[in-house]
Amino acid sequence: MMRTNLGDWRLIENTSASGVREVHCPKVNFTSNVLSTPPAWIDPLTDRKGTGAARSCQNTATRGPAQPRLHRAPGRMACRRFYSARSNQDIGNHVIPTIPQHGTIFYASGEQKASAVFLNEELVITSGLILSDNKDYAEIVTNAVKQCPVLDIGKSTALKPISQLDFRVVRKQNDVLHEQAARALHLVHSRRVNDCLEKLLDGLHACLNGEVKPIRAYTALYASIIILSTNTSKFAPRDWDQIKTVLDRLNPESSDPPRLLDQVITVSTPFGNESFFNTLNVGHVSNMFGEHDCVLLLDTHLTFGCHGGAVYNRNMRIQGFLMGSTFVYRNENISLPLAINIEEILSITLNRRHLCQSRNISFPEQAFRSVCMIDSQGCWGTGCAFELNRKQYIISCSHVLATDNITCVFNDRKVVTPRLVYKNPIFDSAYDIALMEASFDEAQSPNWFCRLADYIPSIGQRLYAIGFPVFKSLASCGAHFRPSIIPGRATKYCEGILYTDCSIQCGQSGGPIFDENGLLVAIAVSNFKSSLDNHIHNCHNMCVPVRDIYNVLVKFSETNDKSTLQGLEANWNIKCKWKLKPPTILNKL
């Protein structure tokens, strides 16, 4: 793919395999023209993004001078006053139950800070990633967990260096932050999560302690949780049965396991900074990966330092523990908020698992089944099958198709080799649309064609972006082949372009944007990137509205006249909008 750097802001095509396309957008017009997308309606549950004074660099999670420091009075517990989170918080029309005890954790000789969950007055859980600033610890854990998934840190000779670490946890009590010493008791490791990460995320990097490092060397830490105790007496009990009882109360056997599109609430401390104590982010389960769905993919907006925090359902029953959220792939930042499924932790510690998990989701099944992964000789993206006048088509983006040799894989692993009918001859020009036709034999599978929407979504309307972000392997890990589903809202419309705040990343080009009834309202094309810091804004994206090309598609399905598809080439004004050219100012005062 072509890459040009002509200005301060660039438009990015979300092609995963072959790179990105960028076009010029002058910085001075960024906030006032095409990219200005103030929503007219805001979901009260999603408008809780901890911004404020957080720095943009990820290494703000390190314990440096910029961190708020705790005042240590001689002979007294270190403390600092903060306002506490309200009980039964009323956010819009929704009530979030009382927030469980959360905090931050670090060890005296380290540079990392992570989030932590208090199970009771003594027991604390955090991510194994708290040890990531020392590569030796990563190697120690990697070797130790080969013997057993549950390790008594105090009794394990291999883990002796970790048992000697001076851990400190910070939590809030009566509006006061308290720092306490803690000791590591047990390490719980998931082989399934470890294998899933190694297979799915090969080539992925993360910013750890200010350095970009390959996560393959740290998968054992990502796939582990550490259980600690604030009772540091050497005579304090370390009864594993007592710990199992506490874990069992986290998520009783009668509780429902996480499911696709479940609404979830994450509680964590972004950047490991106590200024952001008990930050809530509300989102959904976008996908579930690995054997027994051991890894959850969320659509929440999280930052470094959130690892070790918890994922809850609407009843504040714990659903998992956060592993990581921000990564680097091919020198580009990507957002993959990942969590260990609580079912996986309980299967290891309690030998317990829900055997009959329903896969029903609150979204039309036929629309979900219509989504396919498109591969065109190494260049890949997403497509969607639809039906018009009893004829079956697949629609995607032109830039996804490197050649006419096209393979489509659907949700039930059905493979289709469609015939290319139309592809925009000008690669970087609107509309970036390609149309394919399925053969008669291949089109016989029922219930995998969606319907087109003959309307423009209203601003603030709930939408769903479905596709295959970042990695092909995310769709096929485990027993199921399924795309990820990311809810969002329509944020702006102008002729030829629909803007949304769905989190859309490379690999989702050509993917469908559905409404709540499963009607195809738009085709995802691109998101934005700043040349100042190379940051990709995946929640600001541009899509082709189906309504604007609806009549052309209908006429072609009726006549089979390919000349009618010339209507898929946009007029000059729309092409200028897609190139982010500023509009002409007709009245200057």
Side-chain angles (χ1 to χ4, degrees), residues 82-393:
F82 278 88
Y83 291 106
S84 65
R86 292 175 294 159
S87 299
N88 295 321
Q89 297 184 60
D90 187 3
I91 303 178
N93 296 322
H94 306 271
V95 176
I96 293 180
T98 303
I99 299 174
Q101 280 278 7
H102 280 256
T104 55
I105 185 169
F106 61 93
Y107 59 92
S109 59
E111 295 295 331
Q112 284 283 355
K113 268 193 174 183
S115 301
V117 183
F118 283 81
L119 304 182
N120 57 24
E121 288 303 310
E122 288 188 4
L123 294 178
V124 186
I125 280 184
T126 190
S127 166
L129 209 58
I130 186 66
L131 304 173
S132 62
D133 59 353
N134 189 321
K135 192 172 183 179
D136 291 340
Y137 294 156
E139 294 176 358
I140 288 172
V141 172
T142 300
N143 294 327
V145 296
K146 293 177 181 178
Q147 309 301 321
C148 181
V150 180
L151 297 170
D152 187 323
I153 295 176
K155 295 180 181 179
S156 171
T157 303
L159 297 179
K160 184 176 180 181
I162 296 174
S163 69
Q164 296 174 341
L165 292 176
D166 179 16
F167 284 98
R168 299 301 174 104
V169 293
V170 181
R171 64 173 165 176
K172 186 183 299 182
Q173 292 178 325
N174 299 323
D175 294 343
V176 175
L177 286 183
H178 295 268
E179 180 182 298
Q180 294 176 268
R183 61 182 179 132
L185 298 182
H186 294 274
L187 186 143
V188 179
H189 176 79
S190 168
R191 173 192 55 81
R192 283 180 282 263
V193 172
N194 193 99
D195 291 348
C196 179
L197 295 179
E198 286 187 345
K199 292 176 182 177
L200 294 183
L201 308 180
D202 187 32
L204 207 63
H205 292 68
C207 186
L208 302 173
N209 196 30
E211 297 180 18
V212 177
K213 303 176 182 179
I215 71 166
R216 175 172 284 276
Y218 297 88
T219 50
L221 299 184
Y222 277 96
S224 301
I225 62 170
I226 298 176
I227 303 173
L228 306 96
S229 174
T230 56
N231 187 342
T232 57
S233 169
K234 65 180 180 179
F235 301 109
R238 40 194 324 135
D239 185 3
W240 176 240
D241 289 334
Q242 183 181 12
I243 294 175
K244 289 200 296 185
T245 300
V246 176
L247 291 174
D248 187 45
R249 292 173 185 165
L250 284 180
N251 198 292
E253 201 161 4
S254 59
S255 300
D256 291 330
R259 293 185 176 90
L260 197 63
L261 263 192
D262 276 358
Q263 190 171 59
V264 293
I265 301 165
T266 65
V267 184
S268 60
T269 303
F271 310 105
N273 186 315
E274 285 84 6
S275 299
F276 303 101
F277 231 72
N278 275 2
T279 294
L280 273 70
N281 293 90
V282 181
H284 302 79
V285 177
S286 292
N287 213 332
M288 304 168 76
F289 306 129
E291 187 180 352
H292 299 312
D293 292 334
C294 58
V295 176
L296 307 179
L297 173 66
L298 312 178
D299 70 343
T300 49
H301 304 292
L302 302 176
T303 66
F304 189 75
C306 292
H307 52 283
V311 183
Y312 299 92
N313 62 18
R314 292 191 64 119
N315 298 318
M316 295 310 278
R317 287 289 187 189
I318 197 162
Q319 303 291 282
F321 297 100
L322 296 172
M323 288 190 289
S325 58
T326 53
F327 300 94
V328 178
Y329 183 63
R330 294 181 176 175
N331 296 320
E332 307 284 5
N333 63 289
I334 62 171
S335 175
L336 285 176
L338 300 174
I340 301 178
N341 193 334
I342 186 63
E343 291 293 311
E344 177 65 11
I345 298 298
L346 297 180
S347 73
I348 298 169
T349 56
L350 306 178
N351 195 27
R352 191 186 93 189
R353 181 175 294 281
H354 286 276
L355 297 179
C356 300
Q357 297 190 19
S358 169
R359 299 200 175 277
N360 294 330
I361 60 174
S362 56
F363 185 77
E365 180 71 15
Q366 187 167 342
F368 190 72
R369 287 170 58 86
S370 71
V371 184
C372 63
M373 177 186 289
I374 295 181
D375 192 312
S376 179
Q377 291 192 344
C379 185
W380 63 277
T382 305
C384 180
F386 68 94
E387 190 170 38
L388 268 179
N389 294 316
R390 298 184 180 181
K391 295 179 181 178
Q392 295 80 31
Y393 303 98

Side-chain angles (χ1 to χ4, degrees), residues 67-79:
Q67 292 277 335
R69 306 302 295 168
L70 304 181
H71 174 67
R72 291 172 169 79
R76 301 181 62 186
M77 183 77 70
C79 63

